[in-house]
Amino acid sequence: GSIGGDVFAQVGCEIDEIAEQVKPERVRMIWADDAECSREEVFERGDEIVLHPKGGGGTDMRKPLKFAEEYDPIVVILITDGLTPWPNTEPPYPLIVICTTTANVPIGQVVRMNP
């Protein structure tokens, strides 16, 4: 809700390019907002990754980061404006946070995008 469609289009292209080079078995997109974090899109190896954002804003990042643990991910890429509550500790998987603002992001490896 707080991130525009242009950001998702750009990030989708970047993730698609990464998937072309890394060739993961699967890419799972988990859409999270204040209400829930169970809406998913799954892309198998070779699928073009085109994002279809769902939900609104107000996400408490502790919730989707905990939800992602169920899948034992190799890496999680989180797209956010950063204006959210965060966990106090690093998750049990590598986390890359793509942040669209200059907000303080206390965990993960932070990449600023259009701040």
Side-chain angles (χ1 to χ4, degrees), residues 9-103:
Q10 184 177 354
V11 169
C13 288
E14 296 293 338
I15 293 172
D16 193 48
E17 182 63 30
I18 292 168
E20 279 288 317
Q21 293 185 27
V22 176
K23 301 193 184 328
E25 182 177 317
R26 180 172 299 110
V27 173
R28 181 181 312 274
M29 301 299 300
I30 299 171
W31 298 100
D33 63 17
D34 191 46
E36 63 179 300
C37 59
S38 60
R39 289 170 275 186
E40 301 176 34
E41 291 180 277
V42 178
F43 303 93
E44 300 296 332
R45 182 177 288 160
D47 290 349
E48 180 182 4
I49 298 173
V50 179
L51 305 183
H52 302 98
K54 299 176 179 106
T59 308
D60 177 336
M61 286 306 159
R62 295 171 290 199
K63 190 173 173 183
L65 291 172
K66 184 71 174 167
F67 183 82
E69 285 183 40
E70 294 178 28
Y71 298 101
D72 193 25
I74 295 169
V75 66
V76 169
I77 299 172
L78 175 67
I79 307 163
T80 181
D81 62 10
L83 304 171
T84 176
W86 291 95
N88 293 326
T89 59
E90 293 285 336
Y93 46 76
L95 174 64
I96 299 169
V97 180
I98 299 172
C99 188
T100 62
T101 69
T102 58

